[in-house]
Amino acid sequence: MASELASLALVSAAVAAAMAYARLATSRVGPGLVRLAALLPVLLVLPVPPFTFSPILLRTVSALFLVWLCGFKLLLAAGHGPLHPALPVVLFVACAALPIKLRDRGAEKSRSLPPEFLLSYAAKAALFAALISLRRIRARMPAYAVVAFDGAHVYLTLELFMASAAAFARALLGAELEPQFDRPYLASSLRDFWGHRWNLMVPGALRPSVYRPVRARLGAPAGVLATFLVSGLMHVLMFYYITLEAGTGEVTAFFLLHGACVVADRWCARQRGHVLKGYVRTCHKSNSINFD
């Protein structure tokens, strides 16, 4: 335990120093390839710190924070947002290294959390504790129950851990932060789930870094597929930090399948919109004739 705390302190200090250098580089060099070259040493170092942790949870969480989220934030900082060099050093470091994003300046500010927010997370924490206690009987569960059990476990682990990090940053920095999840269990479609409800830090990073550039050159369907491909590859990397074994490609194939489904969902929604508009125009013409 003492060695892990020492590793955590060492990694935190090293990451803070690296992010301070990144802020200095972005403040001295304009957007473009030169700034990217200045940030490249930090991007090359970020994959290393998670390997200093023996526990799987610490290794995986630090990889998610540093290799994925921080890495993409720094890539975006080479051109524009979300890490603006005008941010104070402490705020820049926190926004880079933690799974947080500042609210827009025009957003309504609130210094206290609403009671329903606290009750919601209290209920999720209680459910998470119940799942932990039930894990000993997981091997005896039916296959469909194992899928539901593991899905709920992953969701609650991510949301509670990331919400705790955000609450710590909110209290420390006194800044308004955007939520990381938005009730993914209420998603109405795959588009809604991946784009607007699940782990919002990830689509917030992939949308400007992958989707928009590819869409501008090859169209929206290619942008969606490219985004899910990158997401799949990053998930493979996260699984490597968990298992320390090379992936088999199944995870990437899973995300590509979801990307294809999102493209199909967008096409179907567009077709439904055309049909609905045609129906409205027909009804309007019919009513015009009846009233003439």
Side-chain angles (χ1 to χ4, degrees):
M1 183 65 179
S3 62
E4 297 303 331
L5 289 176
S7 297
L8 181 60
L10 179 62
V11 168
S12 299
V15 170
M19 295 307 108
Y21 162 77
R23 181 186 178 275
L24 177 64
T26 55
S27 64
R28 297 294 179 87
V29 183
L33 292 177
V34 177
R35 179 185 285 185
L36 178 61
L39 295 174
L40 192 58
V42 178
L43 292 170
L44 294 176
V45 167
L46 286 177
V48 177
F51 288 113
T52 62
F53 299 114
S54 298
I56 294 176
L57 180 61
L58 281 176
R59 190 167 65 238
T60 306
V61 169
S62 61
L64 173 63
F65 287 8
L66 300 178
V67 182
W68 191 338
L69 297 179
C70 182
F72 274 90
K73 289 177 183 179
L74 290 178
L75 284 174
L76 290 174
H80 54 83
L83 301 175
H84 197 280
L87 289 173
V89 176
V90 174
L91 200 55
F92 186 99
V93 171
C95 289
L98 295 175
I100 60 175
K101 182 181 178 182
L102 298 177
R103 284 189 183 273
D104 295 334
R105 292 181 179 179
E108 182 180 355
K109 292 187 177 182
S110 173
R111 289 300 172 190
S112 60
L113 296 174
E116 58 270 17
F117 176 90
L118 298 176
L119 289 174
S120 171
Y121 276 93
K124 289 172 183 175
L127 179 58
F128 181 73
L131 290 178
I132 293 294
S133 65
L134 291 173
R135 196 157 188 85
R136 62 181 181 273
I137 64 171
R138 177 182 179 277
R140 301 197 296 272
M141 294 180 180
Y144 65 87
V146 170
V147 173
F149 180 90
D150 289 348
H153 194 274
V154 168
Y155 162 58
L156 290 171
T157 301
L158 282 174
E159 178 154 19
L160 291 173
F161 199 94
M162 297 179 79
S164 299
F168 172 77
R170 187 178 191 272
L172 181 66
L173 304 173
E176 292 296 313
L177 307 176
E178 293 189 359
Q180 291 91 351
F181 289 84
D182 184 13
R183 298 167 296 175
Y185 42 83
L186 297 181
S188 59
S189 65
L190 279 177
R191 284 189 302 157
D192 187 32
F193 179 84
W194 289 117
H196 304 289
R197 293 186 179 274
W198 179 263
N199 201 359
L200 299 177
M201 297 294 103
V202 171
L206 292 177
R207 194 175 290 115
S209 61
V210 180
Y211 173 71
R212 289 173 186 163
V214 175
R215 182 190 63 180
R217 292 168 175 80
L218 302 175
V224 172
L225 291 176
T227 302
F228 275 88
L229 173 61
V230 172
S231 180
L233 293 174
M234 294 305 297
H235 276 84
V236 170
L237 183 59
M238 294 300 105
F239 275 104
Y240 177 75
Y241 279 101
I242 296 172
T243 64
L244 299 180
E245 296 178 357
T248 60
E250 294 177 358
V251 175
T252 305
F254 169 83
F255 278 92
L256 281 175
L257 175 61
H258 274 241
C261 291
V262 169
V263 171
D265 183 31
R266 288 166 59 96
W267 183 85
C268 291
R270 193 177 301 111
Q271 296 306 310
R272 287 196 299 268
H274 292 329
V275 170
L276 181 60
K277 288 180 181 178
Y279 176 75
V280 171
R281 283 196 296 267
T282 301
C283 291
H284 177 72
K285 290 179 180 179
S286 176
N287 290 334
S288 298
I289 293 173
N290 290 336
F291 284 104
D292 282 346

